[in-house]
Amino acid sequence: NWYVLKMDRDDPSLKVSAGWTMCQLTNQRLEEPVVGDQLGRFYTRTAVMQYIVDGERKAHFKHLKSMKDTKELKIAKAKSSTELGDHPLGWVCPVTGKSANGNRAFFMVWGCGCLVSEEAFTQLGKASCPSCGKMIDAELNEVIRMVPPESEWKSQHNNMIERNAVLKARRKAQKRAKKASKKEGDKKPNKVSKAKAKNLKKDKIGKIAVKKRRMTDIEKEIQENLKKAKSSRVFSSMFISEEERKNDSRNQQVAFISTKPRSMNALM
């Protein structure tokens, strides 16, 4: 093992340190990008992806059903050695600068993925991430201890179940809200279109009525002239039959009215 070569075999922290430096799926050295799960374990991201694609379900990793069950970690690295027994990969707390070598407690913030020491939380509190400042969701209990001692395994597992239940309930609520919003959005256009169609119909009827009322002075004059002409004897005689003309002396006079000038009538 590459790590054993760096450590004294009698070192009591060997097992703990291995949990900080080796992928729990492959037992190989961790390679970036590194992800963590809700039980406080570290993995090489590509190893988890391969595990999920293969469909194999190992007893200790049944909770890894998709990449959503892991969080990619934001890990600070030391530019130089800070103390004896430093993390072989140079991992340190971004706030205190202390090494993540297994000798002190480190936590992952599930919401942002930052890896931060317990000392940083003690100094700055747990309302927000000490590293990036993102607010911590208290209901989700987002602060997860990495590589916890055996005495905390059960509580870590219970926290994972509760956290997943809350997340599932939130996803369902979001889907319901989205579905309701979509239905409401589908109804609104119909209402608008019906109202619009109704208004258009009213406008059309109104325009027709206005158009009928809009008669020019010439049209009025024509109408008046026609009305006068219909009431006159000359105009009405046009609609009397030949038989009626012969019998009606009045119509006979009308029949012999000449349209020629008077001078011409005198000559005839």
Side-chain angles (χ1 to χ4, degrees):
N1 186 294
W2 70 274
Y3 189 75
V4 172
L5 297 176
K6 288 178 174 286
M7 299 288 292
D8 183 349
R9 290 179 181 274
D10 296 328
D11 188 338
S13 65
L14 176 60
K15 290 183 179 180
V16 176
S17 297
W20 281 89
T21 57
M22 297 170 63
C23 172
Q24 298 300 297
L25 270 172
T26 62
N27 289 325
Q28 300 296 318
R29 178 174 179 168
L30 284 168
E31 295 180 4
E32 295 184 346
V34 176
V35 297
D37 67 7
Q38 298 183 69
L39 297 179
R41 299 168 181 170
F42 291 105
Y43 307 90
T44 298
R45 187 168 181 264
T46 53
V48 179
M49 292 175 68
Q50 189 62 50
Y51 170 75
I52 293 170
V53 170
D54 291 344
E56 183 183 1
R57 291 292 176 265
K58 296 180 180 179
H60 298 292
F61 305 103
K62 289 182 178 180
H63 62 289
L64 298 178
K65 298 176 183 178
S66 72
M67 292 306 296
K68 290 181 181 179
D69 295 316
T70 64
K71 179 67 67 174
E72 187 169 335
L73 291 162
K74 299 174 184 176
I75 303 171
K77 293 184 179 180
K79 295 181 180 179
S80 59
S81 179
T82 57
E83 62 181 86
L84 184 65
D86 282 349
H87 191 288
L89 302 178
W91 295 1
V92 295
C93 173
V95 179
T96 64
K98 298 292 182 68
S99 176
N101 55 10
N103 294 327
R104 57 180 61 87
F106 267 71
F107 296 84
M108 169 183 63
V109 182
W110 186 253
C112 58
C114 294
L115 185 65
V116 189
S117 69
E118 185 178 27
E119 294 175 23
F121 279 109
T122 302
Q123 294 173 14
L124 302 176
K126 291 187 177 182
S128 61
C129 174
S131 178
C132 69
K134 183 177 180 180
M135 297 302 295
I136 293 175
D137 192 331
E139 186 183 12
L140 291 178
N141 194 10
E142 290 186 306
V143 181
I144 301 170
R145 181 166 182 176
M146 302 306 292
V147 194
E150 189 174 349
S151 59
E152 295 184 17
W153 287 357
K154 187 174 181 179
S155 62
Q156 290 269 91
H157 185 268
N158 291 337
N159 289 340
M160 177 184 70
I161 293 173
E162 292 174 6
R163 188 179 300 112
N164 288 341
V166 173
L167 290 170
K168 186 176 181 180
R170 288 183 182 180
R171 285 194 295 270
K172 285 185 176 180
Q174 287 176 356
K175 285 182 179 179
R176 285 195 298 268
K178 189 176 180 181
K179 192 174 181 179
S181 177
K182 188 177 180 182
K183 283 183 178 179
E184 188 177 348
D186 291 340
K187 288 179 182 179
K188 283 183 178 180
N190 292 334
K191 288 182 180 179
V192 172
S193 62
K194 285 180 180 178
K196 190 175 180 181
K198 192 175 181 180
N199 291 334
L200 287 172
K201 189 175 180 180
K202 284 182 179 179
D203 292 343
K204 190 175 180 181
I205 294 170
K207 285 178 181 179
I208 292 170
V210 170
K211 191 174 180 181
K212 286 180 179 179
R213 289 195 300 269
R214 285 180 182 172
M215 296 180 68
T216 63
D217 294 338
I218 297 173
E219 288 173 336
K220 287 181 180 178
E221 187 176 351
I222 292 170
Q223 293 289 342
E224 289 175 2
N225 291 337
L226 286 172
K227 190 174 181 181
K228 288 179 182 179
K230 285 180 180 179
S231 62
S232 68
R233 292 180 176 180
V234 175
F235 187 84
S236 60
S237 66
M238 295 172 63
F239 300 96
I240 298 174
S241 64
E242 189 68 23
E243 187 75 20
E244 288 175 336
R245 280 199 187 110
K246 290 177 180 179
N247 297 331
D248 193 342
S249 59
R250 184 185 61 184
N251 290 337
Q252 287 178 7
Q253 292 176 7
V254 174
F256 291 104
I257 292 176
S258 174
T259 58
K260 294 181 181 181
R262 288 185 179 180
S263 57
M264 293 298 291
N265 286 336
L267 295 173
M268 291 179 63

